[in-house]
Amino acid sequence: GQNIDQPTEMTATEGAIVQINCTYQTSGFNGLFWYQQHAGEAPTFLSYNVLDGLEEKGRFSSFLSRSKGYSYLLLKELQMKDSASYLCAVDPGGYNKLIFGAGTRLAVHP
Amino acid sequence: EAQVTQNPRYLITVTGKKLTVTCSQNMNHEYMSWYRQDPGLGLRQIYYSMNVEVTDKGDVPEGYKVSRKEKRNFPLILESPSPNQTSLYFCASSRRQGIAETQYFGPGTRLLVL
């Protein structure tokens, strides 16, 4: 089967760093995406990893370990506007779709 | 502006009354897809289209139909809506389906079936 797990909710303080984990078990792997989704809005693309290691993009970084079926999204210098859900999605290859996790709802408080 | 649009954004209907949710993209994308999003379940694919006149079922196609007569449009049809189709629906598109192809999502359609 295809399965993606991520924590349901997390809280963090403005200015801090938070790490959102994602583990996956899929029949194949063509890459892992992270999307951000504010309440009631469309998901928007944050990052893509297909090779092991860390990809940095401003305040956001994403890490992948294919051997462990594991990824994380690291958010630095948290701002109130970072309060959103973060969706982990895997392209299993050959299925013409992405498989999404249920999302992690992040609340940033002052 | 490059975008995916959906209409309507909000819809309340009754069981059995046929409805269509439109989706249009202006990026000349080949691949389009419909998802539904329910609490605790994440985004689940309903149908997808690799190109004009090429459509196929996703994970949860029951009760839905689609068509792709033009590259830019991909309507979702509920022939006889039922309460279990109450959900938040997203249309998405990408240049094509393949490695590293980012999907761009429409603003969503919130549907309530009474």
Side-chain angles (χ1 to χ4, degrees), chain A residues 30 33 35 37 40-45 48 50 87 91 95-103, chain B residues 31 35 37 40-43 45 48 50 59 90 97-103 105-107 110:
Chain A
N30 268 358
F33 294 81
Y35 284 84
Q37 184 179 24
E41 297 183 9
T44 54
F45 171 78
Y48 172 76
V50 67
L87 314 181
D91 181 348
Y95 292 90
N96 299 313
K97 68 178 181 183
L98 293 180
I99 300 170
F100 283 85
Chain B
Y31 180 88
Y35 295 89
Q37 187 174 38
L41 295 179
L43 286 160
Q45 190 183 53
Y48 67 92
M50 300 288 282
D59 294 321
F90 288 102
Q97 178 57 18
I99 295 174
E101 289 295 340
T102 301
Q103 292 196 25
F105 286 82
R110 192 170 291 278

Side-chain angles (χ1 to χ4, degrees), chain A residues 12-13 15-20 33-38 43-49 53-64 71-87 104 106 108:
Chain A
T13 304
I17 300 173
V18 70
Q19 178 175 311
I20 302 174
F33 294 81
W34 284 96
Y35 284 84
Q36 181 190 58
Q37 184 179 24
H38 285 99
T44 54
F45 171 78
L46 285 178
S47 68
Y48 172 76
N49 296 70
L54 190 67
E55 294 277 344
E56 297 188 75
K57 194 186 290 187
R59 294 189 299 114
F60 293 6
S61 303
S62 56
F63 171 83
L64 175 67
S71 173
Y72 67 72
L73 180 69
L74 194 69
L75 291 74
K76 304 175 188 174
E77 301 169 17
L78 279 171
Q79 302 175 8
M80 299 298 290
K81 67 178 182 179
D82 297 328
S83 293
S85 289
Y86 292 85
L87 314 181
T104 298
L106 173 67
V108 180

